[in-house]
Each structure stands twice: as structure tokens, then as C-alpha cells.
Amino acid sequence: MPVDIAPFQARRARLLATMQAAGGGVAVIPTSPERHRNRDTTYAYRFDSYFYYLTAFREPEAVLVLVAGDTPRSILFCRTKDVEREIWDGYRFGPDAARDAFGFDEARPIDELDEQLGQLLANQPAVFHSIGYEPEWDRRIADALNRVRAQARTGAHAPAQIRDVRSLIDDMRLIKDASEIATMRRAAEISAGAHIRAMRAARPGVFEYEVEAELIHEFRRHGSQAPAYSSIVATGPNACVLHYVENDRQLADGDLLLIDAGCELDGYASDITRSFPVNGRFSGPQKAVYELVLAAQAAAIAEIRPGASWNAGHDAAVRVLAQGYLDLGLLTGSLDGAIESGSYRQFYMHRTGHWLGLDVHDAGEYKLAGEWRNLEAGNVLTVEPGTYIRPAEGVPEAFWNIGIRIEDDALVTDTGCDIITHATPKSVADIEAIMAAR
């Protein structure tokens, strides 16, 4: 499928301008290597997010080099055309076709990279790369710098600075452009349909992995390349395990089922969680806790707007949840006391959201100079309060093994926010209506 390369070219130009403003230099940004699963079998390939953000190029064995200076340049190093390998592994662009298809100034064979790096880094003020991200790349950059230093008697000098290119790209990735937002909306739409399909498939006697299969089926049949992360399909006590991924328990009458799943579409993640009763009807305690988590999410969403503190939504959710635990008899004392002591963390122990984009836990700092950063139009974040009630002394048995999380994806707009996963049912009435129609 043809790729609109304009957004990727614009990102490269913006990064080059940022590098130039910092004094200039050369950025070296590799994609991910192929990873062996066992013996001669590799895992399904997934490109590096930083590399893809700037290139749209999905093949392994590729490196982007950006040269900031009076004449900025973008150079792709990639695999050469090889008819025999294409018979085994599929189509590859080769340098010439990749240059034209993806809008690079130059493209060269990947086998020339190490030799070329020494020349490209000579007499540059700085090298920008992902320091500490891949030890192999730290070594290759060091080797290239040493090759430049070995030419000192010819007048060449190595870059005096080594800077982390991720810090520059992270700030760019925090603000989604129109093409990113369109892709994320479509990913959210696909994932919403998958959650509805899962609700219709879930019933006593079915296994968690059968429900997971329904999710994957819906992802793939609408063009998603893969789940954005390992799907959590957790029933009964498993719903109280935050990162449960075994997905092998049988659904039982009276249990809740927590599903945390989202598809990846063209590199971009969606992330949705819904919790609902296996038999289609919430019990009294289940409904009370569910409505509490839903109210906490509404309070957090109300805080999402440009200029608001990142942490405002979390603080709002915590106050609603802590008061609810007091009202339900799960905690004793005062609201302020429960928050100050942290006693509410017995039932709610994680944050209320995270950045979302090319990575499900996307790039970008949450604090600047020690203070929570403010939201900006174009940010995309999740909103995911939850409550997890394990059997414990002092906890009424009627609430044991109730695990509920409700998660949506929010795009910060000029005036507030847009819940792009809104098509996923989450009111008690809507969920029960869908399940009654199974």
C-alpha cells in the first residue's frame, strides 16, 4: 500500500532543524534487529519506533543517518536487492527504490555503513544516537569515532559531543500530527469492535484463550498487523493480577472478566480495558465497584485539557476511589487520611494513565524540571483507573476477587479532550444489553 511520505519528511526536517539549532552534527538512528525465537526461527518482525517515526520504512537491517549543517541530508542505509533472498523472505526495496519511495536525499547499501560512518562523522561537532539503548550500537559508534580520531594527523577531528537523539525525538512524538491521529482513530475503532465481539463470545464454560482468539480475529480481519501488546483476558481472581497474560482459565458463572487489549495499526497502538460479568448481569457488589471505577474515570477525563497538569486526572480519580472504598466499608477513617496514608493502594496501586502512540507506553517525559508537565493539544493518553479486591482480613467476602479496570484513549484537543475509543460500551446498561443479545 502506498505511504504518504510527507509527514515523515516533515519530521526529518524538524529533527534536522532542532539538531542545527543545537550546534549541528550527525544523527544515527537504526531500526530493530530481527530476534531469534529458537534455532533458525525469528519472532515476527517489528521495526524500531524511533526509526519508523522518521522513515516509514519497515524492513530490517536499516539505518537512518541525518546530517545537520548548511546542506541538511537524509541518508538511508538498507539491504540491497537480492532476487534469491526475495524468493525466501519476500520483497525488499533496495537503496534506489527506497530513496525514491520514501523521499530520502540518498540511499546506500547497509554493508557500507561502518565504512561510511567514519567519513560522515569527521569534523562534525556532535553525534546524536540512542545512548545505552543497544550495546552493539554503542560499540559501533565508538568504533566509528575511533576511526576518525586515527585520522588526526590528516586534520580530521571526531565529534566532541555525544548526545541522546531520543530526547529530541521524544518531544516531537508527544504531539501527534494529523496522519498519526487518523491512524490512531482507526486503531481505536478496530479495537472497539474487538471488545464488543469478546463480550458477545464470553459465557460460562468458555476459556480465556477462546475469548482472546476472538479479539485477534477481529484485529486481523480489519487490517491490524498485530496486537499492540500481550492481551490480558482475566476472569475471576485473575482480574486482580495487573499483568496477567496466561489466559488459560475457564470462565465461571458469577465471575467478572477483565479484558485489556488493543490492536496495533501501521505501528500505532490502541489500548482499551473493559470489565463485565461472564453471565451477562452484574451482581450487587460487582455493580457497586464498577460504578465507582466508572465515576473515577469520568472525574479523570474531566481534567484533560490543554494547560492542565498531567497528574490532575490521577489525583481526581484517587479521590473518587478512596471515598468509594470508605463508602463500601473497604476502608475506615477519613478521605484525607486514606489519601495521605496511602491505604487506598490496597485496592488501587497503579497510575491512571500513560502516553500512547507508536509504543503502547509511548515516548515522552511526564515531568519537566521536577514538575508534572502540562497537557498540550495533540497529546494522546490513556485513562485507566481500576480496583482490585483480593481476599484479605477485614475485606467483606462479597467483594473478594472483584477486579475492574476501565480504560479509554484520550486525544487532547484545543478545548478539552476527545475519547477516541468511545465506541466501546462501558455503561452497565449498555454492557448488559449487548450480552443479553448473545
Side-chain angles (χ1 to χ4, degrees), residues 11-72:
R11 293 168 201 160
R12 294 198 293 269
R14 181 179 169 193
L15 179 56
L16 280 163
T18 302
M19 291 167 57
Q20 185 64 21
V26 175
V28 182
I29 305 162
T31 195
S32 297
E34 293 181 291
R35 309 280 185 183
H36 279 277
R37 185 180 187 276
N38 53 16
R39 202 168 173 83
D40 59 354
T41 302
T42 59
Y43 285 100
Y45 183 70
R46 206 277 188 179
F47 43 76
D48 175 79
S49 295
Y50 289 97
F51 174 86
Y52 181 79
Y53 178 74
L54 296 166
T55 66
F57 195 69
R58 302 188 184 196
E59 292 182 18
E61 298 184 78
V63 177
L64 172 66
V65 175
L66 297 176
V67 182
D70 294 337
T71 306

Short mmCIF file of all heavy atoms in Angstrom, two decimals, residues 11-72:
data_model
loop_
_atom_site.label_atom_id
_atom_site.label_comp_id
_atom_site.label_asym_id
_atom_site.label_seq_id
_atom_site.Cartn_x
_atom_site.Cartn_y
_atom_site.Cartn_z
N ARG A 11 8.93 15.37 9.58
CA ARG A 11 9.56 15.05 10.87
C ARG A 11 11.07 15.06 10.75
O ARG A 11 11.77 15.53 11.66
CB ARG A 11 9.05 13.69 11.36
CG ARG A 11 7.58 13.68 11.72
CD ARG A 11 7.08 12.27 11.91
NE ARG A 11 5.62 12.20 11.76
CZ ARG A 11 4.95 11.09 11.50
NH1 ARG A 11 5.59 9.94 11.37
NH2 ARG A 11 3.64 11.12 11.36
N ARG A 12 11.59 14.51 9.65
CA ARG A 12 13.04 14.54 9.46
C ARG A 12 13.55 15.97 9.39
O ARG A 12 14.57 16.32 9.98
CB ARG A 12 13.43 13.77 8.19
CG ARG A 12 13.15 12.27 8.28
CD ARG A 12 13.91 11.49 7.23
NE ARG A 12 13.51 11.74 5.86
CZ ARG A 12 12.58 11.06 5.20
NH1 ARG A 12 11.90 10.08 5.81
NH2 ARG A 12 12.32 11.31 3.92
N ALA A 13 12.82 16.81 8.66
CA ALA A 13 13.22 18.22 8.54
C ALA A 13 13.19 18.91 9.89
O ALA A 13 14.09 19.71 10.22
CB ALA A 13 12.31 18.94 7.54
N ARG A 14 12.19 18.59 10.69
CA ARG A 14 12.09 19.22 12.01
C ARG A 14 13.23 18.78 12.91
O ARG A 14 13.82 19.59 13.64
CB ARG A 14 10.74 18.88 12.64
CG ARG A 14 10.52 19.51 14.00
CD ARG A 14 9.17 19.14 14.56
NE ARG A 14 9.04 19.54 15.96
CZ ARG A 14 8.08 19.13 16.77
NH1 ARG A 14 7.15 18.31 16.31
NH2 ARG A 14 8.05 19.52 18.02
N LEU A 15 13.56 17.48 12.88
CA LEU A 15 14.67 16.99 13.70
C LEU A 15 15.99 17.60 13.25
O LEU A 15 16.82 18.01 14.07
CB LEU A 15 14.73 15.47 13.65
CG LEU A 15 15.86 14.81 14.45
CD1 LEU A 15 15.82 15.23 15.92
CD2 LEU A 15 15.79 13.29 14.32
N LEU A 16 16.19 17.71 11.93
CA LEU A 16 17.40 18.35 11.43
C LEU A 16 17.51 19.80 11.89
O LEU A 16 18.59 20.26 12.26
CB LEU A 16 17.42 18.27 9.90
CG LEU A 16 17.87 16.94 9.30
CD1 LEU A 16 17.45 16.83 7.83
CD2 LEU A 16 19.38 16.77 9.44
N ALA A 17 16.39 20.50 11.88
CA ALA A 17 16.40 21.90 12.33
C ALA A 17 16.73 21.99 13.82
O ALA A 17 17.48 22.89 14.25
CB ALA A 17 15.04 22.55 12.05
N THR A 18 16.21 21.05 14.61
CA THR A 18 16.50 21.03 16.04
C THR A 18 17.97 20.73 16.29
O THR A 18 18.62 21.35 17.15
CB THR A 18 15.63 19.99 16.75
OG1 THR A 18 14.25 20.28 16.52
CG2 THR A 18 15.89 19.98 18.25
N MET A 19 18.52 19.78 15.54
CA MET A 19 19.94 19.47 15.65
C MET A 19 20.79 20.67 15.27
O MET A 19 21.78 20.98 15.94
CB MET A 19 20.28 18.27 14.76
CG MET A 19 19.68 16.95 15.21
SD MET A 19 19.78 15.67 13.91
CE MET A 19 21.55 15.64 13.57
N GLN A 20 20.41 21.34 14.21
CA GLN A 20 21.18 22.51 13.76
C GLN A 20 21.14 23.62 14.81
O GLN A 20 22.15 24.26 15.08
CB GLN A 20 20.63 23.02 12.42
CG GLN A 20 21.42 24.15 11.80
CD GLN A 20 22.84 23.74 11.42
OE1 GLN A 20 23.13 22.57 11.26
NE2 GLN A 20 23.73 24.72 11.31
N ALA A 21 19.98 23.81 15.42
CA ALA A 21 19.86 24.83 16.46
C ALA A 21 20.73 24.49 17.68
O ALA A 21 21.15 25.39 18.42
CB ALA A 21 18.40 24.97 16.88
N ALA A 22 20.99 23.19 17.87
CA ALA A 22 21.83 22.75 18.99
C ALA A 22 23.31 22.75 18.62
O ALA A 22 24.15 22.33 19.43
CB ALA A 22 21.42 21.35 19.43
N GLY A 23 23.64 23.21 17.42
CA GLY A 23 25.04 23.29 17.02
C GLY A 23 25.42 22.41 15.86
O GLY A 23 26.56 22.46 15.38
N GLY A 24 24.49 21.57 15.40
CA GLY A 24 24.75 20.71 14.26
C GLY A 24 25.34 19.37 14.64
O GLY A 24 25.63 19.10 15.80
N GLY A 25 25.49 18.52 13.64
CA GLY A 25 26.05 17.20 13.88
C GLY A 25 25.36 16.15 13.03
O GLY A 25 24.65 16.46 12.07
N VAL A 26 25.58 14.90 13.40
CA VAL A 26 25.07 13.76 12.65
C VAL A 26 24.27 12.86 13.59
O VAL A 26 24.73 12.53 14.69
CB VAL A 26 26.22 12.95 12.02
CG1 VAL A 26 25.70 11.68 11.35
CG2 VAL A 26 26.97 13.80 11.02
N ALA A 27 23.07 12.48 13.17
CA ALA A 27 22.24 11.54 13.93
C ALA A 27 22.30 10.17 13.26
O ALA A 27 22.22 10.07 12.04
CB ALA A 27 20.80 12.02 14.01
N VAL A 28 22.43 9.13 14.08
CA VAL A 28 22.46 7.75 13.60
C VAL A 28 21.33 7.00 14.29
O VAL A 28 21.36 6.82 15.52
CB VAL A 28 23.81 7.08 13.89
CG1 VAL A 28 23.84 5.66 13.34
CG2 VAL A 28 24.95 7.91 13.31
N ILE A 29 20.32 6.58 13.52
CA ILE A 29 19.10 6.01 14.10
C ILE A 29 18.82 4.67 13.41
O ILE A 29 18.31 4.63 12.29
CB ILE A 29 17.91 6.96 13.92
CG1 ILE A 29 18.25 8.33 14.52
CG2 ILE A 29 16.65 6.38 14.56
CD1 ILE A 29 17.35 9.44 14.05
N PRO A 30 19.18 3.55 14.05
CA PRO A 30 18.95 2.24 13.45
C PRO A 30 17.55 1.71 13.74
O PRO A 30 16.91 2.13 14.72
CB PRO A 30 19.99 1.36 14.13
CG PRO A 30 20.14 1.97 15.49
CD PRO A 30 19.93 3.46 15.31
N THR A 31 17.08 0.81 12.90
CA THR A 31 15.85 0.11 13.22
C THR A 31 16.17 -1.09 14.09
O THR A 31 17.34 -1.37 14.40
CB THR A 31 15.10 -0.32 11.94
OG1 THR A 31 13.77 -0.69 12.29
CG2 THR A 31 15.80 -1.47 11.23
N SER A 32 15.15 -1.83 14.50
CA SER A 32 15.36 -3.00 15.35
C SER A 32 15.98 -4.15 14.56
O SER A 32 15.68 -4.33 13.37
CB SER A 32 14.03 -3.48 15.94
OG SER A 32 13.47 -2.50 16.77
N PRO A 33 16.81 -4.96 15.21
CA PRO A 33 17.29 -6.18 14.54
C PRO A 33 16.21 -7.25 14.58
O PRO A 33 15.26 -7.17 15.37
CB PRO A 33 18.49 -6.60 15.41
CG PRO A 33 18.15 -6.08 16.77
CD PRO A 33 17.39 -4.79 16.55
N GLU A 34 16.34 -8.23 13.72
CA GLU A 34 15.49 -9.41 13.83
C GLU A 34 15.91 -10.20 15.07
O GLU A 34 17.09 -10.27 15.39
CB GLU A 34 15.60 -10.28 12.58
CG GLU A 34 15.03 -9.62 11.33
CD GLU A 34 15.13 -10.48 10.10
OE1 GLU A 34 16.26 -10.70 9.64
OE2 GLU A 34 14.08 -10.94 9.60
N ARG A 35 14.95 -10.79 15.76
CA ARG A 35 15.22 -11.51 17.01
C ARG A 35 14.91 -12.99 16.82
O ARG A 35 13.84 -13.35 16.34
CB ARG A 35 14.36 -10.96 18.14
CG ARG A 35 14.41 -9.45 18.32
CD ARG A 35 15.64 -8.99 19.06
NE ARG A 35 15.60 -7.56 19.33
CZ ARG A 35 16.57 -6.88 19.92
NH1 ARG A 35 17.67 -7.50 20.32
NH2 ARG A 35 16.46 -5.56 20.11
N HIS A 36 15.85 -13.83 17.26
CA HIS A 36 15.63 -15.27 17.15
C HIS A 36 14.67 -15.75 18.23
O HIS A 36 14.81 -15.40 19.41
CB HIS A 36 16.94 -16.03 17.26
CG HIS A 36 17.70 -16.05 15.97
ND1 HIS A 36 17.45 -16.94 14.96
CD2 HIS A 36 18.70 -15.24 15.51
CE1 HIS A 36 18.25 -16.71 13.94
NE2 HIS A 36 19.02 -15.67 14.25
N ARG A 37 13.70 -16.54 17.82
CA ARG A 37 12.77 -17.16 18.77
C ARG A 37 13.34 -18.49 19.26
O ARG A 37 13.33 -18.79 20.44
CB ARG A 37 11.40 -17.40 18.10
CG ARG A 37 10.34 -17.93 19.03
CD ARG A 37 9.03 -18.14 18.29
NE ARG A 37 7.96 -18.50 19.20
CZ ARG A 37 7.72 -19.73 19.63
NH1 ARG A 37 8.49 -20.74 19.23
NH2 ARG A 37 6.74 -19.98 20.48
N ASN A 38 13.80 -19.29 18.34
CA ASN A 38 14.52 -20.52 18.65
C ASN A 38 15.20 -21.01 17.39
O ASN A 38 14.73 -20.78 16.28
CB ASN A 38 13.60 -21.61 19.24
CG ASN A 38 12.40 -21.90 18.37
OD1 ASN A 38 12.35 -21.53 17.20
ND2 ASN A 38 11.40 -22.55 18.93
N ARG A 39 16.33 -21.60 17.56
CA ARG A 39 17.12 -22.17 16.46
C ARG A 39 17.13 -21.24 15.25
O ARG A 39 17.67 -20.13 15.33
CB ARG A 39 16.64 -23.58 16.11
CG ARG A 39 17.70 -24.41 15.39
CD ARG A 39 17.33 -25.87 15.32
NE ARG A 39 18.26 -26.62 14.49
CZ ARG A 39 19.42 -27.09 14.91
NH1 ARG A 39 19.81 -26.88 16.16
NH2 ARG A 39 20.21 -27.78 14.10
N ASP A 40 16.53 -21.64 14.12
CA ASP A 40 16.59 -20.79 12.93
C ASP A 40 15.26 -20.08 12.65
O ASP A 40 14.96 -19.72 11.52
CB ASP A 40 17.01 -21.61 11.71
CG ASP A 40 16.07 -22.77 11.43
OD1 ASP A 40 15.16 -23.00 12.25
OD2 ASP A 40 16.25 -23.45 10.39
N THR A 41 14.47 -19.87 13.71
CA THR A 41 13.17 -19.20 13.57
C THR A 41 13.22 -17.85 14.29
O THR A 41 13.70 -17.77 15.43
CB THR A 41 12.05 -20.06 14.17
OG1 THR A 41 12.02 -21.32 13.53
CG2 THR A 41 10.70 -19.38 14.00
N THR A 42 12.73 -16.81 13.65
CA THR A 42 12.71 -15.48 14.26
C THR A 42 11.29 -15.12 14.71
O THR A 42 10.31 -15.67 14.22
CB THR A 42 13.20 -14.41 13.27
OG1 THR A 42 12.37 -14.42 12.11
CG2 THR A 42 14.65 -14.66 12.88
N TYR A 43 11.23 -14.20 15.65
CA TYR A 43 9.93 -13.62 16.00
C TYR A 43 9.41 -12.80 14.82
O TYR A 43 10.18 -12.34 13.98
CB TYR A 43 10.07 -12.70 17.21
CG TYR A 43 10.24 -13.43 18.53
CD1 TYR A 43 11.50 -13.59 19.11
CD2 TYR A 43 9.14 -13.95 19.20
CE1 TYR A 43 11.65 -14.24 20.32
CE2 TYR A 43 9.29 -14.62 20.41
CZ TYR A 43 10.54 -14.76 20.96
OH TYR A 43 10.69 -15.41 22.16
N ALA A 44 8.11 -12.62 14.77
CA ALA A 44 7.54 -11.72 13.76
C ALA A 44 8.22 -10.36 13.87
O ALA A 44 8.33 -9.81 14.96
CB ALA A 44 6.04 -11.59 13.97
N TYR A 45 8.69 -9.84 12.76
CA TYR A 45 9.50 -8.62 12.81
C TYR A 45 8.66 -7.39 13.10
O TYR A 45 7.56 -7.22 12.56
CB TYR A 45 10.25 -8.41 11.49
CG TYR A 45 11.14 -7.20 11.56
CD1 TYR A 45 12.28 -7.21 12.36
CD2 TYR A 45 10.81 -6.03 10.88
CE1 TYR A 45 13.08 -6.09 12.47
CE2 TYR A 45 11.61 -4.91 10.97
CZ TYR A 45 12.74 -4.93 11.78
OH TYR A 45 13.52 -3.81 11.90
N ARG A 46 9.20 -6.53 13.96
CA ARG A 46 8.59 -5.24 14.24
C ARG A 46 9.70 -4.19 14.27
O ARG A 46 10.66 -4.32 15.04
CB ARG A 46 7.83 -5.28 15.57
CG ARG A 46 6.68 -4.26 15.68
CD ARG A 46 7.16 -2.90 16.09
NE ARG A 46 6.04 -1.97 16.38
CZ ARG A 46 6.19 -0.72 16.77
NH1 ARG A 46 7.40 -0.22 16.92
NH2 ARG A 46 5.15 0.03 17.02
N PHE A 47 9.60 -3.17 13.45
CA PHE A 47 10.59 -2.10 13.33
C PHE A 47 10.72 -1.32 14.63
O PHE A 47 9.84 -1.35 15.50
CB PHE A 47 10.18 -1.15 12.20
CG PHE A 47 8.70 -0.82 12.22
CD1 PHE A 47 8.17 0.05 13.14
CD2 PHE A 47 7.84 -1.46 11.33
CE1 PHE A 47 6.80 0.33 13.17
CE2 PHE A 47 6.48 -1.19 11.35
CZ PHE A 47 5.96 -0.29 12.28
N ASP A 48 11.81 -0.59 14.76
CA ASP A 48 12.01 0.32 15.89
C ASP A 48 11.12 1.54 15.74
O ASP A 48 11.01 2.12 14.65
CB ASP A 48 13.47 0.75 15.94
CG ASP A 48 13.72 1.77 17.02
OD1 ASP A 48 13.82 1.39 18.20
OD2 ASP A 48 13.81 2.99 16.68
N SER A 49 10.49 1.96 16.82
CA SER A 49 9.53 3.06 16.75
C SER A 49 10.18 4.39 16.37
O SER A 49 9.61 5.17 15.60
CB SER A 49 8.79 3.20 18.09
OG SER A 49 8.00 2.06 18.34
N TYR A 50 11.35 4.69 16.93
CA TYR A 50 12.02 5.95 16.60
C TYR A 50 12.37 5.98 15.12
O TYR A 50 12.19 7.00 14.43
CB TYR A 50 13.28 6.12 17.44
CG TYR A 50 13.02 6.40 18.89
CD1 TYR A 50 13.04 5.39 19.83
CD2 TYR A 50 12.75 7.69 19.33
CE1 TYR A 50 12.81 5.64 21.17
CE2 TYR A 50 12.51 7.97 20.67
CZ TYR A 50 12.54 6.94 21.59
OH TYR A 50 12.29 7.19 22.91
N PHE A 51 12.92 4.88 14.62
CA PHE A 51 13.31 4.80 13.22
C PHE A 51 12.08 4.95 12.31
O PHE A 51 12.09 5.73 11.36
CB PHE A 51 14.00 3.45 12.98
CG PHE A 51 14.33 3.17 11.54
CD1 PHE A 51 15.51 3.64 10.98
CD2 PHE A 51 13.47 2.43 10.75
CE1 PHE A 51 15.81 3.38 9.64
CE2 PHE A 51 13.77 2.16 9.42
CZ PHE A 51 14.94 2.65 8.87
N TYR A 52 11.02 4.22 12.62
CA TYR A 52 9.82 4.26 11.77
C TYR A 52 9.19 5.65 11.77
O TYR A 52 8.70 6.12 10.73
CB TYR A 52 8.82 3.22 12.24
CG TYR A 52 7.56 3.18 11.39
CD1 TYR A 52 7.55 2.54 10.17
CD2 TYR A 52 6.39 3.81 11.82
CE1 TYR A 52 6.41 2.53 9.38
CE2 TYR A 52 5.25 3.81 11.04
CZ TYR A 52 5.27 3.16 9.82
OH TYR A 52 4.14 3.16 9.04
N TYR A 53 9.19 6.31 12.92
CA TYR A 53 8.59 7.64 13.04
C TYR A 53 9.18 8.61 12.03
O TYR A 53 8.50 9.52 11.55
CB TYR A 53 8.83 8.14 14.47
CG TYR A 53 8.31 9.53 14.76
CD1 TYR A 53 6.95 9.76 14.92
CD2 TYR A 53 9.19 10.60 14.92
CE1 TYR A 53 6.48 11.04 15.20
CE2 TYR A 53 8.73 11.87 15.20
CZ TYR A 53 7.36 12.09 15.34
OH TYR A 53 6.91 13.35 15.62
N LEU A 54 10.46 8.41 11.69
CA LEU A 54 11.15 9.32 10.79
C LEU A 54 11.24 8.81 9.36
O LEU A 54 11.63 9.58 8.46
CB LEU A 54 12.56 9.57 11.31
CG LEU A 54 12.66 10.27 12.67
CD1 LEU A 54 14.07 10.15 13.22
CD2 LEU A 54 12.24 11.73 12.57
N THR A 55 10.91 7.54 9.10
CA THR A 55 11.19 6.96 7.79
C THR A 55 10.01 6.32 7.08
O THR A 55 9.96 6.30 5.85
CB THR A 55 12.28 5.88 7.91
OG1 THR A 55 11.76 4.77 8.68
CG2 THR A 55 13.54 6.42 8.56
N ALA A 56 9.08 5.70 7.82
CA ALA A 56 8.00 4.86 7.26
C ALA A 56 8.54 3.56 6.68
O ALA A 56 7.79 2.79 6.09
CB ALA A 56 7.17 5.59 6.21
N PHE A 57 9.82 3.28 6.88
CA PHE A 57 10.46 2.11 6.28
C PHE A 57 10.37 0.93 7.25
O PHE A 57 10.75 1.05 8.41
CB PHE A 57 11.92 2.44 5.98
CG PHE A 57 12.62 1.48 5.07
CD1 PHE A 57 12.29 1.39 3.73
CD2 PHE A 57 13.64 0.67 5.55
CE1 PHE A 57 12.94 0.52 2.87
CE2 PHE A 57 14.30 -0.21 4.71
CZ PHE A 57 13.96 -0.29 3.36
N ARG A 58 9.89 -0.22 6.74
CA ARG A 58 9.56 -1.34 7.63
C ARG A 58 10.52 -2.52 7.54
O ARG A 58 10.35 -3.51 8.24
CB ARG A 58 8.14 -1.84 7.32
CG ARG A 58 7.08 -0.78 7.48
CD ARG A 58 5.69 -1.35 7.38
NE ARG A 58 4.67 -0.31 7.43
CZ ARG A 58 3.39 -0.53 7.66
NH1 ARG A 58 2.95 -1.77 7.83
NH2 ARG A 58 2.53 0.47 7.68
N GLU A 59 11.53 -2.44 6.69
CA GLU A 59 12.44 -3.57 6.55
C GLU A 59 13.48 -3.60 7.67
O GLU A 59 13.88 -2.54 8.18
CB GLU A 59 13.17 -3.50 5.21
CG GLU A 59 12.28 -3.72 4.00
CD GLU A 59 13.07 -3.69 2.69
OE1 GLU A 59 14.31 -3.84 2.74
OE2 GLU A 59 12.44 -3.50 1.63
N PRO A 60 13.96 -4.80 8.05
CA PRO A 60 15.08 -4.87 8.99
C PRO A 60 16.38 -4.47 8.30
O PRO A 60 16.40 -4.18 7.10
CB PRO A 60 15.10 -6.35 9.39
CG PRO A 60 14.48 -7.06 8.24
CD PRO A 60 13.46 -6.12 7.65
N GLU A 61 17.46 -4.45 9.08
CA GLU A 61 18.79 -4.10 8.56
C GLU A 61 18.76 -2.75 7.85
O GLU A 61 19.11 -2.64 6.67
CB GLU A 61 19.31 -5.19 7.62
CG GLU A 61 19.51 -6.55 8.27
CD GLU A 61 20.11 -7.54 7.31
OE1 GLU A 61 21.34 -7.47 7.08
OE2 GLU A 61 19.35 -8.38 6.78
N ALA A 62 18.36 -1.74 8.58
CA ALA A 62 18.28 -0.40 8.00
C ALA A 62 18.68 0.63 9.05
O ALA A 62 18.43 0.44 10.25
CB ALA A 62 16.88 -0.11 7.49
N VAL A 63 19.29 1.70 8.59
CA VAL A 63 19.75 2.78 9.48
C VAL A 63 19.50 4.11 8.78
O VAL A 63 19.78 4.26 7.59
CB VAL A 63 21.26 2.64 9.80
CG1 VAL A 63 21.74 3.81 10.65
CG2 VAL A 63 21.55 1.32 10.50
N LEU A 64 18.97 5.06 9.54
CA LEU A 64 18.80 6.42 9.05
C LEU A 64 19.94 7.27 9.58
O LEU A 64 20.22 7.26 10.79
CB LEU A 64 17.46 7.00 9.52
CG LEU A 64 17.24 8.48 9.23
CD1 LEU A 64 17.14 8.75 7.73
CD2 LEU A 64 15.98 8.98 9.96
N VAL A 65 20.59 8.02 8.70
CA VAL A 65 21.61 8.99 9.09
C VAL A 65 21.14 10.36 8.64
O VAL A 65 20.79 10.56 7.47
CB VAL A 65 22.98 8.65 8.47
CG1 VAL A 65 23.99 9.75 8.81
CG2 VAL A 65 23.48 7.31 8.97
N LEU A 66 21.12 11.29 9.58
CA LEU A 66 20.75 12.68 9.29
C LEU A 66 21.96 13.56 9.52
O LEU A 66 22.57 13.50 10.60
CB LEU A 66 19.58 13.13 10.18
CG LEU A 66 18.26 12.38 10.03
CD1 LEU A 66 17.26 12.88 11.06
CD2 LEU A 66 17.70 12.56 8.62
N VAL A 67 22.29 14.38 8.55
CA VAL A 67 23.42 15.28 8.65
C VAL A 67 22.89 16.71 8.70
O VAL A 67 22.31 17.21 7.73
CB VAL A 67 24.38 15.13 7.46
CG1 VAL A 67 25.59 16.05 7.63
CG2 VAL A 67 24.83 13.67 7.32
N ALA A 68 23.07 17.35 9.85
CA ALA A 68 22.60 18.73 10.03
C ALA A 68 23.75 19.68 9.74
O ALA A 68 24.86 19.52 10.27
CB ALA A 68 22.09 18.94 11.45
N GLY A 69 23.50 20.64 8.89
CA GLY A 69 24.54 21.60 8.53
C GLY A 69 24.01 22.57 7.51
O GLY A 69 22.79 22.73 7.35
N ASP A 70 24.91 23.19 6.79
CA ASP A 70 24.48 24.14 5.76
C ASP A 70 23.63 23.48 4.69
O ASP A 70 22.72 24.10 4.13
CB ASP A 70 25.71 24.80 5.11
CG ASP A 70 26.49 25.68 6.09
OD1 ASP A 70 25.87 26.13 7.08
OD2 ASP A 70 27.69 25.88 5.87
N THR A 71 23.94 22.20 4.40
CA THR A 71 23.15 21.44 3.42
C THR A 71 22.64 20.18 4.12
O THR A 71 23.31 19.13 4.10
CB THR A 71 23.99 21.05 2.20
OG1 THR A 71 24.59 22.23 1.64
CG2 THR A 71 23.13 20.36 1.14
N PRO A 72 21.50 20.25 4.78
CA PRO A 72 20.99 19.08 5.52
C PRO A 72 20.76 17.90 4.58
O PRO A 72 20.33 18.08 3.42
CB PRO A 72 19.68 19.58 6.12
CG PRO A 72 19.77 21.07 6.09
CD PRO A 72 20.58 21.39 4.88
#
